Structures are given as C-alpha cells and as structure tokens.
Amino acid sequence: MVITKDKLQYILNNMPDKIDVEEVFDKILLSAKIEQALIESQQGLGQDWDEFKTEWLKEDL
C-alpha cells in the first residue's frame, strides 16, 4: 500500500495537536486501504455489490 505525502500531510493537518501514535498509524492505514479499494474498484476488481449482499445475507450470524 502506498500513500502520497500530500495525503499524509492532509491527515496530519486535520488531527489535534496531541494524539496517540497508534491513532495516527490507524488513520494512515485506513486512508491507504480506502485509497487502494477505490483504485481496485475503478479497475473493475473486487466483488459485485449484489453478489456481496446475497452472500452476506446467507451467512449465519
């Protein structure tokens, strides 16, 4: 996973002055995962939404 400096700077700029290091890492990782998912979606990768809903609804919770 890759994140740009600009995106990293945006994340840091929108955080409080004092924040737990783990929370910073969590936000960076989440942002990178979302970015990767968007790229994969644009490339047509991933699971069809209707198929996902059907499978998810079949699962025993």
Side-chain angles (χ1 to χ4, degrees):
M1 251 177 280
V2 176
I3 190 168
T4 64
K5 284 186 195 179
D6 290 337
K7 183 69 174 176
L8 185 57
Q9 189 65 52
Y10 176 81
I11 292 168
L12 293 173
N13 287 344
N14 289 294
M15 290 185 163
D17 290 336
K18 289 188 177 186
I19 189 167
D20 186 79
V21 173
E22 288 181 13
E23 188 174 344
V24 174
F25 288 141
D26 288 345
K27 288 186 183 285
I28 293 169
L29 186 57
L30 178 61
S31 179
K33 285 181 178 183
I34 290 170
E35 191 69 32
Q36 183 65 34
L38 289 172
I39 290 168
E40 289 175 7
S41 178
Q42 290 170 352
Q43 294 174 346
L45 303 174
Q47 189 174 19
D48 179 68
W49 176 245
D50 290 326
E51 289 176 22
F52 170 77
K53 287 190 301 186
T54 302
E55 286 180 26
W56 186 74
L57 292 173
K58 285 184 197 176
E59 290 184 18
D60 292 329
L61 298 177

